[in-house]
Amino acid sequence: MIMSGKTLYDKLWEDHLVHLNPDGSSLIYIDRHLVHEVTSPQAFEGLRLAGRKPWRISSILAVADHNVPTKSRELGIEDPVSRLQIETLDQNCRDFGITEFDISDPRQGIVHVIGPEQGATLPGMTVVCGDSHTSTHGAFGALAFGIGTSEVEHVLATQCLTQAKSGNMRVTVNGNVGPGVSAKDIVLAIIGRIGTAGGTGYAIEFSGEAIRSLSMEGRMTVCNMAIEAGARSGVIAVDDKTIDYIRGRPFAPVEDQWQAAVTAWRKLHSDADAVFDREVQFDAPAIEPQVTWGTSPEMVVPVTGKVPDPDSEANPVNRDSMKHALDYMGLKPGMAMIDIHLDRVFVGSCTNSRIEDLRVAANVIKGRRVAANIREALVVPGSGVVKRQAEQEGLDRIFMEAGFEWREPGCSMCLAMNADRLEPGERCASTSNRNFEGRQGYGGRTHLVSPAMAAAAAVAGHFVDVRTFYKD
Amino acid sequence: MEAFQRIYSKVVAMDRANVDTDAIIPKQFLKSIRRSGFGPFLFDEWRYLDQGEPGMDCTGRPLNPDFELNQPGYAGAEILLVGQNFGCGSSREHAPWALQDYGIRVLIGRSYADIFYNNCFKNGLLPIVLTKEEVDRLFHEATSSDYRLKIDLESQTVIMPNGDCLNFSVAGSRKYRLLNGLDDIDLSLQYSDQIREYELKRRNEAPWLFRELQSL
C-alpha cells in the first residue's frame, strides 16, 4: 500500500485529537476561544445552571461587536435589548475572570479582525467562535470554524468539541489577478462557480499563485467567505507573509518561544503528495470584479455582465429561486450590472474592514465626491487599531471630504443588529459577506462587492468597472 | 434535554432550496439572552405581512396566507419537509431553538448546512437525510394536512402511510444522545483525564499556545 502525504487540514486535525469515538467522531482540543455578546449569554447561563466553570480561562478572548453603536459611544447604547446583551457579556467576563475588550477599550473591534491583529490567532491553533465567519482565521494556517451556542458552552466547560472530520478540498487559483481585482473578487468568483453548498462537508485549502500573492488581509477575506461556499473552515499554508504579520503582535510568542514557534509553523502546509477528495482549479487572470445580483452569494456575475434570465435555467427549483431573488431585488433579467443605481454604500464587516481595505477604497475616492443619489456612505473600520492607523495615514479625511461617514468599529450594517441598516427597498453596495433577504435591514437589497468596487460605486452612484474607473 | 420519542405527525412541506438561518429566525431576535420564546418568530419575514420585533405579541399580526406554515390544518405539525442545503448561512443556534420552540421535532430533506445540522442534534431536533428520489416522493405525497408520517429513530426509519419504510442513517453517538436526552458536556467530561494528558503533552511541545492573556 502506498501511503500518501497529509493535507494541512489533516495535520491540524491530528495535532488536536484527544480521543477518537467508536462512531468515528473525535474529541478535539480547542486552543483559542473567541467570544462575543450575541451567541454567548445562553452558554454562560447553561454553565452556571450546571454548576460548571470554564476549563481554561487563558484560552478565551471576549469582545462586543455585533450590537455596538458606530456613532459616538459617549451616550452609551440607546437600544435597551442591545445594551442588555453587551452588559451581560461584560458581567460574564467579570464573573469568570475572562479577558475582554469592552466597548470603551481602544482595542475593541470585530472579533475576526482583533484576533489576528492582537496575535491571539496563531498558526497551528484550533480557533472557534460562536460565529460562522470564524473561518477567517484559517488564513494563518489555523483550523478555525464557527460553532453554535451549545458548542460555545461545551468548549467553555471542556476545552474540547466533539466533531466529525471533514473531507479535504483544494481550490487552486493559478496565475495572478489583474489590477483592480481583489481577494473579494476571487472568493466571489469561486462561490459563483461551486455554489453555496460547493464546500459542504469539506475543509477548503486555498492555494495557487494568486492566493500566495495576497497579503494576509486578502487571505483573511478569502477564508472569511469559505463559509459562504458551505465549508466550515478555509485554510491557507503558512509562509513568510504569515510569520511577518504575526511578529511583534501583543499576544504573539516572544524570545525563545518565538523561534520554536516559527520552526513549528514552517511545517504547516500540505505535503506535496497529499491527496484531496475534491480539487477545483481557477484561472486568476480571467477573474473580473464581481457583483452579486441576488439573495445568495452564489448569485454573482462579473461587473461587465448582465442580470441573468431565470428562463434560461433548466432546474425548476433554481429557476424559482432566481425569480424570487430578482423580485426581491427589484431587478429585471438582461439589465447591465453597471446600470444598477444605489442608495447606500457600506465599507466594513469582518470580510473587508482591515487597513488594506480602507487604503484601497480611499485611493479610489481620493479627490472625488460621493454621488448625489447616494443617501449614505459609511466606512466602519474593523477595530480601534485599524481606525487609529487609518487616521494616522489621513484616510479618515479622504473619506469625509468625499462625503463618507467615518464611524466607530463594529459589525454595523453587515447584519444590522445596531442602528446602521437599510430601509425597505433601499439598495446597497456592500463589502460584507451576505446578501440574504433582510440581512442589512428589513426589505433591504444588498449587492456584495470589493472595497474598490464599493468606493467606485459611491462616486458614480451606480456600479462601474473599477478597472476602467482607474483609467478615467 | 428531552429524550426523543417516536413521532407520528402531519408534515409541512416547504419546497425551497437554500433556506438560510436569517430566514428561519431574523437577526432582530438574536438580541435575546434566553434560549426559549423564539417559536412565534420562526420564519418571521415569510410568515407575517408586517415586520416583527422582539417581545411583540404575535397573536394579532397579519399572516401571509401563502406561507407554508400558515396553510389551514397544519397546526401542531412536528415534521418539516425541506429543500436542499437547508439551514445555510449564519451559525446562529437560535434557528434550531426557534424550530424546536415552534414544535418541530423532525426535519426531512436531501441536505443541510453543516453547522445547522450539528446544532439540531444538540437541541433534540432530528434532521433526517434521504435520497433525492425519496424526498421528491414525499413532496409529491405530502400535499394535505391529513398526510402523516411515523418517525422511528430506534430503527432509523420513516414510515409512510402505505407502510413503506425509508431508512436513514445517523451517527451512533448522536442517536444514543437523542434517545436518552443526554447532555454532550457530561459525555465529554468522561474524558477529563485524557484532556489533561493532552494539555500536558501540548504544553511541552508548543508552550506559546498556553500564554496567559490576562497578564498583558
Side-chain angles (χ1 to χ4, degrees):
Chain A
M1 193 177 104
I2 302 161
M3 294 288 287
S4 58
K6 290 174 184 167
T7 67
L8 172 52
Y9 173 68
D10 292 337
K11 294 179 187 183
L12 292 168
W13 182 268
E14 285 171 17
D15 280 348
H16 292 89
L17 191 62
V18 173
H19 174 79
L20 184 63
N21 293 313
D23 72 350
S25 68
S26 300
L27 198 61
I28 64 161
Y29 190 82
I30 303 304
D31 296 313
R32 177 68 69 226
H33 189 185
L34 302 169
V35 168
H36 66 84
E37 80 276 18
V38 179
T39 52
S40 69
Q42 292 91 347
F44 283 111
E45 183 194 9
L47 211 61
R48 280 199 187 85
L49 289 172
R52 292 174 178 134
K53 284 200 161 55
W55 180 282
R56 186 163 73 81
I57 298 287
S58 67
S59 68
I60 311 168
L61 180 60
V63 69
D65 58 4
H66 281 60
N67 278 282
V68 299
T70 58
K71 288 191 176 168
S72 169
R73 291 183 182 160
E74 285 163 16
L75 300 170
I77 301 161
E78 210 175 311
D79 176 7
V81 191
S82 290
R83 191 169 62 233
L84 177 62
Q85 269 199 345
I86 289 171
E87 287 172 355
T88 304
L89 179 67
D90 293 346
Q91 188 61 48
N92 283 326
C93 290
R94 273 197 297 275
D95 288 354
F96 290 106
I98 291 166
T99 304
E100 186 203 9
F101 297 168
D102 68 21
I103 67 164
S104 62
D105 192 297
R107 300 166 293 180
Q108 181 269 340
I110 304 173
V111 65
H112 306 308
V113 175
I114 67 158
E117 186 173 81
Q118 295 295 324
T121 300
L122 296 173
M125 274 184 164
T126 40
V127 180
V128 297
C129 176
D131 186 280
S132 57
H133 291 110
T134 309
S135 57
T136 310
H137 308 262
F140 290 83
L143 174 55
F145 52 90
I147 56 178
T149 298
S150 293
E151 291 175 311
V152 171
E153 185 182 339
H154 197 281
V155 175
L156 286 171
T158 70
Q159 209 58 42
C160 292
L161 274 176
T162 301
Q163 297 283 300
K165 193 174 176 217
S166 302
N168 279 294
M169 175 166 170
R170 179 160 61 187
V171 173
T172 307
V173 189
N174 298 306
N176 270 310
V177 292
V181 181
S182 71
K184 182 67 161 288
D185 301 305
I186 294 175
V187 73
L188 283 172
I190 292 170
I191 296 164
R193 164 122 60 98
I194 71 173
T196 52
T200 301
Y202 295 105
I204 298 181
E205 176 166 350
F206 296 98
S207 68
E209 191 181 355
I211 302 296
R212 284 196 303 277
S213 300
L214 292 173
S215 64
M216 290 313 295
E217 284 85 354
R219 294 177 188 184
M220 283 189 257
T221 300
V222 171
C223 287
N224 173 275
M225 290 193 71
I227 185 67
E228 309 315 329
R232 284 183 80 178
S233 57
V235 70
I236 294 175
V238 170
D239 62 9
D240 289 344
K241 280 185 193 168
T242 323
I243 291 163
D244 290 344
Y245 180 98
I246 298 163
R247 186 181 288 117
R249 303 256 163 200
F251 299 152
V254 289
E255 296 163 7
D256 292 357
Q257 284 189 11
W258 171 258
Q259 277 315 322
V262 169
T263 305
W265 296 342
R266 293 277 183 203
K267 296 172 190 152
L268 295 172
H269 53 79
S270 291
D271 294 334
D273 57 344
V275 175
F276 288 82
D277 304 302
R278 188 175 175 204
E279 293 250 26
V280 189
Q281 307 265 342
F282 283 81
D283 180 25
I287 298 174
E288 298 183 79
Q290 306 282 308
V291 183
T292 64
W293 55 266
T295 53
S296 164
E298 70 185 25
M299 294 173 166
V300 65
V301 290
V303 65
T304 52
K306 290 181 164 57
V307 175
D309 186 353
D311 288 337
S312 62
E313 168 63 45
N315 178 320
V317 174
N318 291 353
R319 189 161 59 232
D320 285 352
S321 298
M322 287 171 77
K323 281 184 177 158
H324 185 86
L326 288 182
D327 186 43
Y328 180 86
M329 293 296 289
L331 296 174
K332 296 265 179 291
M335 197 176 167
M337 295 308 286
I338 54 169
D339 289 338
I340 297 174
H341 284 71
L342 299 152
D343 304 302
R344 294 192 195 229
V345 174
F346 171 61
V347 176
S349 88
C350 58
T351 313
N352 282 127
S353 64
R354 297 177 182 84
I355 189 68
E356 180 184 276
D357 301 314
L358 304 192
R359 285 177 188 145
V360 167
N363 190 39
V364 172
I365 58 151
K366 194 170 186 176
R368 293 167 154 139
R369 288 283 309 165
V370 170
N373 61 304
I374 303 293
R375 219 165 291 166
E376 185 182 60
L378 286 186
V379 184
V380 183
S383 72
V385 173
V386 169
K387 181 168 187 261
R388 281 188 302 283
Q389 171 77 29
E391 287 170 353
Q392 278 166 17
E393 296 179 16
L395 305 184
D396 56 326
R397 286 195 308 280
I398 295 174
F399 282 116
M400 288 188 285
E401 281 163 13
F404 272 84
E405 290 185 37
W406 180 249
R407 296 289 187 87
E408 297 295 326
C411 299
S412 180
M413 207 194 273
C414 174
L415 80 171
M417 282 190 76
N418 69 353
D420 310 334
R421 62 185 67 185
L422 300 181
E423 294 299 320
E426 279 189 335
R427 191 179 295 287
C428 181
S430 178
T431 66
S432 57
N433 42 58
R434 289 190 175 135
N435 50 351
F436 298 158
E437 285 182 29
R439 171 82 178 182
Q440 293 194 293
Y442 181 78
R445 293 160 170 168
T446 304
H447 296 272
L448 303 177
V449 286
S450 72
M453 284 287 289
V459 172
H462 56 88
F463 287 115
V464 286
D465 186 340
V466 72
R467 296 171 299 180
T468 48
F469 192 79
Y470 270 128
K471 286 179 194 150
D472 285 349
Chain B
M1 198 166 76
E2 195 187 336
F4 192 95
Q5 310 288 334
R6 275 195 193 85
I7 303 276
Y8 179 62
S9 163
K10 305 175 208 189
V11 180
V12 178
M14 204 171 176
D15 196 3
R16 305 174 184 228
N18 301 314
V19 170
D20 59 71
T21 54
D22 277 78
I24 298 172
I25 185 83
K27 72 219 158 250
Q28 64 266 37
F29 304 106
L30 270 55
K31 290 178 181 175
S32 166
I33 58 165
R34 294 170 53 223
R35 272 175 189 261
S36 56
F38 297 102
F41 307 106
L42 176 70
F43 296 114
D44 197 85
E45 289 187 8
W46 291 344
R47 190 165 150 200
Y48 302 101
L49 295 171
D50 63 345
Q51 190 179 346
E53 288 300 332
M56 77 196 285
D57 178 7
C58 293
T59 49
R61 293 178 63 195
L63 293 173
N64 173 3
D66 298 328
F67 183 58
E68 290 89 336
L69 286 183
N70 294 337
Q71 303 304 309
Y74 283 97
E78 294 177 283
I79 302 173
L80 190 62
L81 182 60
V82 300
Q84 61 180 309
N85 199 28
F86 187 84
C88 60
S90 145
S91 63
R92 62 190 65 166
E93 197 156 341
H94 309 67
W97 292 340
L99 287 161
Q100 170 81 297
D101 196 61
Y102 179 86
I104 301 295
R105 300 300 310 278
V106 176
L107 301 167
I108 302 177
R110 274 169 66 187
S111 61
Y112 305 88
D114 286 347
I115 299 178
F116 174 80
Y117 185 77
N118 283 320
N119 284 340
C120 283
F121 286 100
K122 295 175 195 311
N123 292 284
L125 264 177
L126 174 62
I128 295 175
V129 178
L130 295 177
T131 64
K132 179 178 186 301
E133 290 68 32
E134 289 167 337
V135 173
D136 286 349
R137 184 175 164 197
L138 291 176
F139 270 117
H140 186 72
E141 290 191 9
T143 52
S144 96
S145 60
D146 298 330
Y147 187 84
R148 280 174 169 72
L149 290 173
K150 270 185 212 161
I151 311 294
D152 185 4
L153 175 57
E154 187 65 57
S155 67
Q156 298 178 210
T157 44
V158 174
I159 303 154
M160 301 182 69
N162 69 353
D164 282 3
C165 287
L166 307 175
N167 295 309
F168 61 88
S169 56
V170 54
S173 62
R174 287 183 157 152
K175 178 176 169 181
Y176 176 76
R177 288 171 207 206
L178 269 184
L179 286 172
N180 296 287
L182 283 175
D183 175 340
D184 284 5
I185 294 175
D186 284 324
L187 291 168
S188 291
L189 286 174
Q190 292 173 357
Y191 302 104
S192 291
D193 289 345
Q194 271 171 272
I195 301 170
R196 284 195 197 89
E197 272 170 40
Y198 172 89
E199 277 184 327
L200 210 63
K201 174 178 77 88
R202 196 75 174 148
R203 228 178 245 278
N204 277 321
E205 289 169 1
W208 57 88
L209 295 174
F210 294 84
R211 199 168 166 200
E212 297 292 323
L213 298 181
Q214 291 94 320
S215 60
L216 295 156

